[in-house]
Amino acid sequence: SSEVLEAIENVIQDVLKSLAQKKAPVLTLANRSDWRNIEFKDSVGLQMIPHCTTKEIRSDCPRSAPKFALILKILSMIYKMVQSNTYATKRDIYYSDTLLFGSQSVVDNIINDISCMLKIPRRSLHILSTTKGFVAGNLSYTEEDGTKVNCTCSATAVTVPSNVQGIKNLISHAKFVLIVEKDATFQRLLDDDFCNKLSPCIMITGRGVPDLNTRLLVRRLWDSFKIPIFTLMDADPHGVEIMCIYKYGSVSMSFEAHHLTVPSIKWLGLLPSDLVRLNICKDVLIPFTKQDQNKLASIQKRPYIACQPMWKKELEIMAASKLKAEIQVLTSLSSDYLSRVYLPNKLRFGGWL
C-alpha cells in the first residue's frame, strides 16, 4: 500500500511542480487502445510494448480538462481507500457522484487509465470489479475472510470470488477446466451433472465477455493445477473473440496481460468444421450480419492467428459459409447431445485445436 500511496503522491507532486512554474499541469497516459502499442508473445499473449505511444491529458485544453479533473478526483478517492484499508467497486465510485461522472463507462475507463499510468493492478488500488461469472465442479477453496467454499457438492454454481488473489487452500482433483461462453449452456451442463459424469472437472462461465475476476480465476486455476483448459463457445465471431480474450488477453488490458492470460487454452468447440462433420441442417444456422463479417475480418488479421494454422482454417470455413451457430444447435440432433455425445467424444479422442 505504501507503494500505491507513493505512486499517487508522485503524480500530484508533478502537478504541483507545474503550477509552481506557472505551467499548465499535464498527465501522460499510454495509448491503451492502439494496436501499434501491442506486441504478441506466445508465452503471455497480447502485451504492451515498453516504449509505447502516449497521449497527453492537458488541464488547459477545453477538450481534455474534464478528464484531467476526473482522474485527480478518482486518484484522491483511491488514496483515501488505501490509507483507510477500505475497498469499493467501480459501481460504488460511479454512484458516489453520478452527475460528476456522467456514466459508468467513464469511471471504468479512467480506472484502467490510472492502473496503467501507475503500473499497479486494479486490485492493489482497492477497487473491486463486480463479478458476474460462475464456477462449479471439483474445486474447494478458502476466501480471504476465512469462508470455506465448496463448488463440488452444490447443484447450483458458485459466484466467482470478488478477490481472486485473496483465496487460498485451493483443492481439486479435476482432470480439466471447461470454460463455457454462455450461462444457458453452463446451466444445462450443470443439470446434466457433466462435472462428475465423464471425469471430475471444473466449469467456469464469464456469461459472455468475461469480467476481470473470471479471467483472474482461470489464470489462478492454471497456475495452481496445470491441467488442460478447454473452451466451449458459439461458432461465431463473437465466440471466437471471447475465447481470444481468455487465451491472449484484450488490447485495453494488455498492460496487465501477465496476470490474466492463459496461452495454453484449447478450442474444444463448437468448431465451424463440426457443423459440416455432424451434418447440421442449414435451417438451424444463422446468416452473418455485416457486423459479424467485420469482426471476423479483424480477428483474422490479428498477430496470434498467424501462429495458429488450425484456427486459421476454421475461421476460413466460417468466412466462406457466412453462417454462424450457437451451441444450442446440437439439440437439433438430440436434447442431451452436448453432454452425452459431443463433449465426451471430443475429450476422449482429442478433438480440440
Side-chain angles (χ1 to χ4, degrees), residues 174-344:
K175 296 285 180 273
F176 62 92
V177 174
L178 182 65
I179 300 170
V180 183
E181 177 188 349
K182 281 191 185 143
D183 193 27
T185 311
F186 179 86
Q187 297 298 340
R188 177 70 214 240
L189 290 171
L190 257 188
D191 294 343
D192 291 348
D193 196 24
F194 178 75
C195 293
N196 302 311
K197 267 190 184 151
L198 192 63
S199 58
C201 74
I202 300 167
M203 283 200 317
I204 288 184
T205 179
R207 298 163 76 195
V209 177
D211 58 86
L212 203 61
N213 294 326
T214 305
R215 290 173 62 190
L216 282 167
L217 182 62
V218 170
R219 175 59 194 251
R220 185 75 194 269
L221 294 174
W222 163 245
D223 287 338
S224 306
F225 305 120
K226 293 283 187 276
I227 50 178
I229 300 182
F230 301 110
T231 59
L232 180 62
M233 306 279 151
D234 288 342
D236 66 9
H238 190 61
V240 175
E241 171 106 283
I242 288 171
M243 170 170 61
C244 292
I245 290 173
Y246 283 108
K247 188 175 170 76
Y248 296 122
S250 58
V251 176
S252 63
M253 293 297 285
S254 56
F255 63 94
E256 265 201 70
H258 43 288
H259 303 302
L260 291 171
T261 57
V262 184
S264 63
I265 282 174
K266 302 276 183 256
W267 186 3
L268 187 67
L270 190 57
L271 303 176
S273 59
D274 290 340
L275 304 173
V276 183
R277 186 174 58 83
L278 297 170
N279 213 355
I280 300 280
C281 169
K282 287 257 167 74
D283 299 349
V284 293
L285 303 179
I286 308 159
F288 262 26
T289 61
K290 188 82 189 101
Q291 209 179 357
D292 290 326
Q293 274 173 309
N294 295 343
K295 189 178 275 297
L296 183 57
S298 103
I299 292 170
Q300 285 176 302
K301 287 194 202 96
R302 288 185 194 168
Y304 43 70
I305 298 298
C307 36
Q308 290 280 5
M310 304 295 279
W311 281 33
K312 205 170 163 198
K313 244 188 215 137
E314 293 292 334
L315 298 183
E316 281 161 8
I317 295 172
M318 198 190 289
S321 75
K322 290 197 171 62
L323 292 169
K324 55 185 182 176
E326 298 187 324
I327 296 161
Q328 281 77 0
V329 298
L330 296 176
T331 55
S332 68
L333 300 171
S334 81
S335 65
D336 58 351
Y337 192 86
L338 176 66
S339 58
R340 187 175 51 84
V341 184
Y342 183 82
L343 289 174

Side-chain angles (χ1 to χ4, degrees), residues 154-170:
S154 59
T156 55
V158 172
T159 308
V160 167
S162 61
N163 175 11
V164 176
Q165 282 99 324
I167 63 175
K168 46 190 185 288
N169 309 333
L170 283 87

Side-chain angles (χ1 to χ4, degrees), residues 47-79:
Q47 64 173 12
M48 209 168 236
I49 57 175
H51 307 293
C52 62
T53 60
T54 54
K55 54 183 178 188
E56 289 191 333
I57 308 293
R58 301 190 61 86
S59 58
D60 61 348
C61 157
R63 225 182 48 236
S64 62
K67 183 165 184 175
F68 181 92
L70 291 181
I71 292 175
L72 291 194
K73 165 77 176 165
I74 292 178
L75 277 172
S76 80
M77 293 171 87
I78 292 169
Y79 194 85

Side-chain angles (χ1 to χ4, degrees), residues 112-130:
N112 285 342
D113 278 336
I114 288 173
S115 178
C116 183
M117 174 174 75
L118 303 178
K119 294 187 174 44
I120 289 169
R122 197 193 299 172
R123 171 81 209 168
S124 306
L125 300 175
H126 284 232
I127 294 169
L128 306 170
S129 40
T130 340

